[in-house]
mmCIF file of all heavy atoms in Angstrom:
data_model
loop_
_atom_site.group_PDB
_atom_site.id
_atom_site.type_symbol
_atom_site.label_atom_id
_atom_site.label_comp_id
_atom_site.label_asym_id
_atom_site.label_seq_id
_atom_site.Cartn_x
_atom_site.Cartn_y
_atom_site.Cartn_z
ATOM 1 N N VAL A 53 3.621 -2.460 -1.069
ATOM 2 C CA VAL A 53 2.342 -3.158 -0.990
ATOM 3 C C VAL A 53 1.625 -2.940 -2.321
ATOM 4 O O VAL A 53 1.515 -1.805 -2.791
ATOM 5 C CB VAL A 53 1.474 -2.622 0.170
ATOM 6 C CG1 VAL A 53 0.184 -3.426 0.300
ATOM 7 C CG2 VAL A 53 2.254 -2.633 1.485
ATOM 8 N N THR A 54 1.148 -4.025 -2.931
ATOM 9 C CA THR A 54 0.396 -3.915 -4.176
ATOM 10 C C THR A 54 -1.047 -4.337 -3.939
ATOM 11 O O THR A 54 -1.312 -5.258 -3.166
ATOM 12 C CB THR A 54 1.007 -4.786 -5.293
ATOM 13 O OG1 THR A 54 0.979 -6.154 -4.890
ATOM 14 C CG2 THR A 54 2.439 -4.363 -5.592
ATOM 15 N N PHE A 55 -1.969 -3.654 -4.593
ATOM 16 C CA PHE A 55 -3.399 -3.955 -4.504
ATOM 17 C C PHE A 55 -3.981 -4.061 -5.901
ATOM 18 O O PHE A 55 -3.641 -3.277 -6.786
ATOM 19 C CB PHE A 55 -4.158 -2.826 -3.788
ATOM 20 C CG PHE A 55 -4.155 -2.920 -2.304
ATOM 21 C CD1 PHE A 55 -3.176 -2.290 -1.574
ATOM 22 C CD2 PHE A 55 -5.150 -3.623 -1.639
ATOM 23 C CE1 PHE A 55 -3.165 -2.345 -0.199
ATOM 24 C CE2 PHE A 55 -5.144 -3.689 -0.263
ATOM 25 C CZ PHE A 55 -4.163 -3.056 0.466
ATOM 26 N N ASP A 56 -4.903 -4.994 -6.072
ATOM 27 C CA ASP A 56 -5.752 -5.126 -7.253
ATOM 28 C C ASP A 56 -7.146 -5.269 -6.665
ATOM 29 O O ASP A 56 -7.396 -6.210 -5.902
ATOM 30 C CB ASP A 56 -5.340 -6.363 -8.061
ATOM 31 C CG ASP A 56 -6.153 -6.544 -9.314
ATOM 32 O OD1 ASP A 56 -6.822 -5.596 -9.756
ATOM 33 O OD2 ASP A 56 -6.135 -7.670 -9.859
ATOM 34 N N TYR A 57 -8.079 -4.347 -6.972
ATOM 35 C CA TYR A 57 -9.312 -4.307 -6.192
ATOM 36 C C TYR A 57 -10.463 -3.633 -6.928
ATOM 37 O O TYR A 57 -10.276 -2.991 -7.958
ATOM 38 C CB TYR A 57 -9.063 -3.553 -4.882
ATOM 39 C CG TYR A 57 -8.772 -2.082 -5.112
ATOM 40 C CD1 TYR A 57 -9.783 -1.135 -5.003
ATOM 41 C CD2 TYR A 57 -7.505 -1.643 -5.465
ATOM 42 C CE1 TYR A 57 -9.534 0.204 -5.240
ATOM 43 C CE2 TYR A 57 -7.249 -0.301 -5.694
ATOM 44 C CZ TYR A 57 -8.270 0.620 -5.585
ATOM 45 O OH TYR A 57 -8.018 1.941 -5.821
ATOM 46 N N THR A 58 -11.650 -3.754 -6.347
ATOM 47 C CA THR A 58 -12.828 -2.977 -6.723
ATOM 48 C C THR A 58 -13.489 -2.498 -5.434
ATOM 49 O O THR A 58 -13.361 -3.134 -4.390
ATOM 50 C CB THR A 58 -13.862 -3.797 -7.529
ATOM 51 O OG1 THR A 58 -14.288 -4.906 -6.742
ATOM 52 C CG2 THR A 58 -13.293 -4.288 -8.842
ATOM 53 N N THR A 59 -14.175 -1.376 -5.520
ATOM 54 C CA THR A 59 -15.023 -0.916 -4.421
ATOM 55 C C THR A 59 -16.461 -0.925 -4.921
ATOM 56 O O THR A 59 -16.706 -0.796 -6.130
ATOM 57 C CB THR A 59 -14.644 0.507 -3.958
ATOM 58 O OG1 THR A 59 -14.842 1.419 -5.045
ATOM 59 C CG2 THR A 59 -13.207 0.564 -3.472
ATOM 60 N N SER A 60 -17.414 -1.075 -3.999
ATOM 61 C CA SER A 60 -18.807 -1.199 -4.412
ATOM 62 C C SER A 60 -19.463 0.137 -4.717
ATOM 63 O O SER A 60 -20.569 0.167 -5.251
ATOM 64 C CB SER A 60 -19.611 -1.925 -3.334
ATOM 65 O OG SER A 60 -19.665 -1.148 -2.149
ATOM 66 N N GLY A 61 -18.825 1.235 -4.385
ATOM 67 C CA GLY A 61 -19.436 2.542 -4.610
ATOM 68 C C GLY A 61 -18.414 3.614 -4.892
ATOM 69 O O GLY A 61 -17.307 3.344 -5.342
ATOM 70 N N ALA A 62 -18.801 4.855 -4.568
ATOM 71 C CA ALA A 62 -18.004 6.023 -4.949
ATOM 72 C C ALA A 62 -17.103 6.552 -3.840
ATOM 73 O O ALA A 62 -16.434 7.558 -4.042
ATOM 74 C CB ALA A 62 -18.942 7.127 -5.428
ATOM 75 N N ASN A 63 -17.062 5.917 -2.676
ATOM 76 C CA ASN A 63 -16.195 6.398 -1.600
ATOM 77 C C ASN A 63 -14.791 5.814 -1.723
ATOM 78 O O ASN A 63 -14.624 4.650 -2.088
ATOM 79 C CB ASN A 63 -16.754 6.008 -0.229
ATOM 80 C CG ASN A 63 -17.995 6.782 0.128
ATOM 81 O OD1 ASN A 63 -18.268 7.829 -0.431
ATOM 82 N ND2 ASN A 63 -18.770 6.257 1.062
ATOM 83 N N ASN A 64 -13.785 6.625 -1.361
ATOM 84 C CA ASN A 64 -12.415 6.133 -1.258
ATOM 85 C C ASN A 64 -12.243 5.445 0.088
ATOM 86 O O ASN A 64 -12.924 5.784 1.059
ATOM 87 C CB ASN A 64 -11.425 7.297 -1.349
ATOM 88 C CG ASN A 64 -11.478 8.001 -2.684
ATOM 89 O OD1 ASN A 64 -11.748 7.393 -3.701
ATOM 90 N ND2 ASN A 64 -11.222 9.298 -2.672
ATOM 91 N N ALA A 65 -11.328 4.504 0.167
ATOM 92 C CA ALA A 65 -11.045 3.827 1.440
ATOM 93 C C ALA A 65 -10.017 4.641 2.225
ATOM 94 O O ALA A 65 -9.063 5.162 1.662
ATOM 95 C CB ALA A 65 -10.537 2.418 1.199
ATOM 96 N N THR A 66 -10.211 4.713 3.522
ATOM 97 C CA THR A 66 -9.286 5.412 4.411
ATOM 98 C C THR A 66 -8.241 4.436 4.925
ATOM 99 O O THR A 66 -8.563 3.315 5.320
ATOM 100 C CB THR A 66 -10.052 6.024 5.602
ATOM 101 O OG1 THR A 66 -11.000 6.959 5.090
ATOM 102 C CG2 THR A 66 -9.117 6.727 6.565
ATOM 103 N N LEU A 67 -6.993 4.871 4.925
ATOM 104 C CA LEU A 67 -5.855 4.070 5.386
ATOM 105 C C LEU A 67 -5.374 4.616 6.721
ATOM 106 O O LEU A 67 -5.199 5.824 6.875
ATOM 107 C CB LEU A 67 -4.730 4.149 4.356
ATOM 108 C CG LEU A 67 -3.337 3.693 4.780
ATOM 109 C CD1 LEU A 67 -3.322 2.202 5.107
ATOM 110 C CD2 LEU A 67 -2.321 4.018 3.701
ATOM 111 N N GLN A 68 -5.146 3.705 7.691
ATOM 112 C CA GLN A 68 -4.572 4.070 8.982
ATOM 113 C C GLN A 68 -3.525 3.032 9.367
ATOM 114 O O GLN A 68 -3.627 1.863 9.002
ATOM 115 C CB GLN A 68 -5.645 4.127 10.073
ATOM 116 C CG GLN A 68 -6.681 5.206 9.829
ATOM 117 C CD GLN A 68 -7.803 5.166 10.841
ATOM 118 O OE1 GLN A 68 -8.252 4.109 11.264
ATOM 119 N NE2 GLN A 68 -8.268 6.349 11.239
ATOM 120 N N MET A 69 -2.538 3.457 10.123
ATOM 121 C CA MET A 69 -1.516 2.548 10.646
ATOM 122 C C MET A 69 -2.114 1.759 11.811
ATOM 123 O O MET A 69 -2.995 2.251 12.514
ATOM 124 C CB MET A 69 -0.285 3.329 11.113
ATOM 125 C CG MET A 69 0.432 4.073 10.002
ATOM 126 S SD MET A 69 0.962 3.022 8.646
ATOM 127 C CE MET A 69 2.143 1.961 9.455
ATOM 128 N N ARG A 70 -1.595 0.531 12.023
ATOM 129 C CA ARG A 70 -2.111 -0.332 13.092
ATOM 130 C C ARG A 70 -0.973 -0.899 13.927
ATOM 131 O O ARG A 70 0.105 -1.186 13.422
ATOM 132 C CB ARG A 70 -2.884 -1.522 12.510
ATOM 133 C CG ARG A 70 -4.224 -1.156 11.938
ATOM 134 C CD ARG A 70 -4.933 -2.356 11.328
ATOM 135 N NE ARG A 70 -5.161 -3.461 12.243
ATOM 136 C CZ ARG A 70 -6.175 -3.539 13.104
ATOM 137 N NH1 ARG A 70 -7.039 -2.554 13.197
ATOM 138 N NH2 ARG A 70 -6.317 -4.595 13.875
ATOM 139 N N VAL A 71 -1.272 -1.103 15.206
ATOM 140 C CA VAL A 71 -0.382 -1.818 16.116
ATOM 141 C C VAL A 71 -1.247 -2.411 17.225
ATOM 142 O O VAL A 71 -2.217 -1.788 17.661
ATOM 143 C CB VAL A 71 0.747 -0.916 16.675
ATOM 144 C CG1 VAL A 71 0.211 0.181 17.576
ATOM 145 C CG2 VAL A 71 1.798 -1.746 17.384
ATOM 146 N N SER A 72 -0.948 -3.641 17.619
ATOM 147 C CA SER A 72 -1.678 -4.335 18.684
ATOM 148 C C SER A 72 -3.186 -4.347 18.443
ATOM 149 O O SER A 72 -3.985 -4.192 19.366
ATOM 150 C CB SER A 72 -1.373 -3.710 20.048
ATOM 151 O OG SER A 72 0.005 -3.769 20.309
ATOM 152 N N GLY A 73 -3.597 -4.500 17.184
ATOM 153 C CA GLY A 73 -5.011 -4.607 16.846
ATOM 154 C C GLY A 73 -5.784 -3.307 16.859
ATOM 155 O O GLY A 73 -7.005 -3.317 16.749
ATOM 156 N N SER A 74 -5.103 -2.164 16.979
ATOM 157 C CA SER A 74 -5.782 -0.863 17.018
ATOM 158 C C SER A 74 -5.261 0.057 15.924
ATOM 159 O O SER A 74 -4.072 0.056 15.619
ATOM 160 C CB SER A 74 -5.552 -0.190 18.369
ATOM 161 O OG SER A 74 -6.118 -0.954 19.402
ATOM 162 N N ASN A 75 -6.168 0.854 15.384
ATOM 163 C CA ASN A 75 -5.794 1.837 14.367
ATOM 164 C C ASN A 75 -5.403 3.155 15.014
ATOM 165 O O ASN A 75 -6.024 3.574 15.993
ATOM 166 C CB ASN A 75 -6.963 2.096 13.419
ATOM 167 C CG ASN A 75 -7.214 0.949 12.484
ATOM 168 O OD1 ASN A 75 -6.745 -0.153 12.700
ATOM 169 N ND2 ASN A 75 -7.975 1.196 11.439
ATOM 170 N N ALA A 76 -4.406 3.807 14.456
ATOM 171 C CA ALA A 76 -4.017 5.155 14.869
ATOM 172 C C ALA A 76 -4.840 6.141 14.044
ATOM 173 O O ALA A 76 -4.813 6.095 12.816
ATOM 174 C CB ALA A 76 -2.529 5.374 14.634
ATOM 175 N N ALA A 77 -5.573 7.035 14.690
ATOM 176 C CA ALA A 77 -6.549 7.875 13.992
ATOM 177 C C ALA A 77 -6.252 9.365 14.056
ATOM 178 O O ALA A 77 -7.165 10.187 13.974
ATOM 179 C CB ALA A 77 -7.940 7.592 14.543
ATOM 180 N N THR A 78 -4.968 9.744 14.157
ATOM 181 C CA THR A 78 -4.604 11.170 14.157
ATOM 182 C C THR A 78 -3.289 11.368 13.407
ATOM 183 O O THR A 78 -2.541 10.419 13.185
ATOM 184 C CB THR A 78 -4.432 11.711 15.589
ATOM 185 O OG1 THR A 78 -3.391 10.960 16.243
ATOM 186 C CG2 THR A 78 -5.721 11.618 16.385
ATOM 187 N N ASN A 79 -3.026 12.601 13.047
ATOM 188 C CA ASN A 79 -1.725 13.056 12.533
ATOM 189 C C ASN A 79 -1.333 12.534 11.152
ATOM 190 O O ASN A 79 -0.170 12.233 10.906
ATOM 191 C CB ASN A 79 -0.608 12.751 13.535
ATOM 192 C CG ASN A 79 -0.834 13.432 14.859
ATOM 193 O OD1 ASN A 79 -1.360 14.535 14.902
ATOM 194 N ND2 ASN A 79 -0.460 12.777 15.938
ATOM 195 N N TYR A 80 -2.281 12.449 10.228
ATOM 196 C CA TYR A 80 -1.978 12.052 8.853
ATOM 197 C C TYR A 80 -1.952 13.308 7.970
ATOM 198 O O TYR A 80 -2.808 14.179 8.085
ATOM 199 C CB TYR A 80 -3.025 11.077 8.321
ATOM 200 C CG TYR A 80 -2.988 9.750 9.025
ATOM 201 C CD1 TYR A 80 -3.761 9.517 10.151
ATOM 202 C CD2 TYR A 80 -2.162 8.735 8.562
ATOM 203 C CE1 TYR A 80 -3.728 8.299 10.805
ATOM 204 C CE2 TYR A 80 -2.126 7.508 9.208
ATOM 205 C CZ TYR A 80 -2.907 7.303 10.332
ATOM 206 O OH TYR A 80 -2.864 6.097 10.976
ATOM 207 N N ASN A 81 -0.975 13.362 7.083
ATOM 208 C CA ASN A 81 -0.797 14.500 6.186
ATOM 209 C C ASN A 81 -0.584 13.975 4.778
ATOM 210 O O ASN A 81 0.171 13.020 4.586
ATOM 211 C CB ASN A 81 0.421 15.317 6.624
ATOM 212 C CG ASN A 81 0.363 15.654 8.097
ATOM 213 O OD1 ASN A 81 -0.454 16.453 8.523
ATOM 214 N ND2 ASN A 81 1.199 15.007 8.899
ATOM 215 N N GLN A 82 -1.252 14.591 3.789
ATOM 216 C CA GLN A 82 -1.108 14.085 2.430
ATOM 217 C C GLN A 82 -1.209 15.187 1.402
ATOM 218 O O GLN A 82 -1.894 16.181 1.594
ATOM 219 C CB GLN A 82 -2.133 12.997 2.126
ATOM 220 C CG GLN A 82 -3.572 13.467 2.024
ATOM 221 C CD GLN A 82 -4.529 12.313 1.782
ATOM 222 O OE1 GLN A 82 -4.398 11.259 2.382
ATOM 223 N NE2 GLN A 82 -5.489 12.509 0.901
#
Side-chain angles (χ1 to χ4, degrees):
V53 184
T54 61
F55 275 92
D56 181 16
Y57 67 97
T58 60
T59 62
S60 65
N63 289 341
N64 296 328
T66 299
L67 165 64
Q68 296 175 322
M69 296 303 296
R70 287 178 58 82
V71 66
S72 301
S74 297
N75 287 16
T78 60
N79 300 325
Y80 293 91
N81 309 290
Q82 69 183 42

